[in-house]
């Protein structure tokens, strides 16, 4: 019975990790291309200037690009249960805005906070040749191209 050398063991482990990452990335890409709804957790009447400004910017960008989305007001007592569910998914409480994707099977995935949307806004202006050289860059079209208002 032959044993693997330390180098072969490391190589095998590395191969498994690379395959796991590739599988995970493929899953992420398929999620991004599947129909999904965008949920925006905000707090209407938020007194924190930065959070309020970020909420307004994100909502303006989504409206300007005609990305369908549903607003969940974290400050609305009638939406408290939904808000708490989203807080549990993201692991972030009391920080707005937060963005989630709801898939057709009802699964809700945390997408990110304002910084994620801000980064997408910055990549949106990159020349096509730069985007072609860096397919790993996320763009508005890649992320929000398959967003729907509702599942028909």
């Amino acid at each position: 019975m032959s044993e693997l050398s330390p180098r072969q063991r490391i190589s095998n482990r590395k191969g498994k990790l690379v395959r796991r990452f590739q599988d995970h990335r493929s899953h992420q890409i398929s999620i991004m291309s599947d129909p999904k709804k965008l949920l925006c957790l905000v707090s209407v009447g938020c007194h924190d200037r930065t959070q309020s400004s970020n909420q307004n910017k994100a909502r303006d960008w989504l409206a300007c690009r005609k990305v369908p989305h549903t607003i969940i007001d974290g400050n609305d007592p009638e939406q408290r249960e939904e808000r708490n569910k989203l807080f549990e998914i993201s692991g972030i409480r009391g920080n707005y805005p937060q963005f989630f994707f709801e898939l057709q099977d009802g699964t809700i995935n945390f997408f990110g906070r304002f910084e994620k949307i801000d980064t997408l806004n910055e990549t949106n202006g990159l020349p096509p040749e730069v985007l072609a050289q860096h397919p790993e860059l996320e763009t508005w079209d890649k992320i929000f191209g398959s967003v729907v208002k509702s599942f028909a």
Side-chain angles (χ1 to χ4, degrees):
M1 185 163 116
S2 68
E3 287 190 31
L4 297 176
S5 72
R7 174 173 265 168
Q8 289 172 318
R9 282 194 302 264
I10 290 171
S11 179
N12 285 346
R13 262 187 273 146
K14 182 178 176 183
K16 288 178 186 176
L17 286 172
V18 167
R19 281 190 296 282
R20 191 178 324 151
F21 174 77
Q22 288 171 337
D23 290 345
H24 175 72
R25 188 70 181 138
S26 295
H27 176 68
Q28 285 179 318
I29 290 168
S30 73
I31 286 174
M32 290 299 110
S33 61
D34 291 343
K36 58 193 171 287
K37 292 194 285 186
L38 177 62
L39 307 176
C40 303
L41 178 59
V42 300
S43 179
V44 176
C46 178
H47 297 293
D48 181 288
R49 285 187 202 174
T50 301
Q51 288 185 34
S52 182
S53 173
N54 290 347
Q55 290 177 151
N56 291 335
K57 283 180 195 175
R59 287 166 53 176
D60 288 347
W61 292 335
L62 292 168
C64 179
R65 291 183 173 88
K66 296 179 175 46
V67 176
H69 58 282
T70 302
I71 298 290
I72 291 99
D73 180 6
N75 204 25
D76 181 355
E78 293 181 13
Q79 294 183 319
R80 179 170 285 143
E81 189 175 318
E82 182 77 11
R83 176 201 70 189
N84 289 341
K85 178 180 168 186
L86 296 175
F87 279 164
E88 188 174 315
I89 292 169
S90 71
I92 304 167
R93 294 190 72 80
N95 193 316
Y96 302 96
Q98 295 181 33
F99 303 93
F100 302 81
F101 288 125
E102 181 179 354
L103 306 179
Q104 283 183 306
D105 65 3
T107 303
I108 297 176
N109 295 312
F110 176 59
F111 175 65
R113 300 182 334 178
F114 174 76
E115 294 78 11
K116 183 90 171 189
I117 299 290
D118 191 34
T119 300
L120 288 176
N121 194 48
E122 290 175 12
T123 60
N124 195 52
L126 292 175
E129 55 274 3
V130 172
L131 293 173
Q133 291 173 351
H134 299 281
E136 74 279 3
L137 289 176
E138 294 177 323
T139 63
W140 277 93
D141 291 340
K142 284 182 187 177
I143 301 300
F144 298 120
S146 61
V147 170
V148 295
K149 183 70 178 166
S150 64
F151 301 118

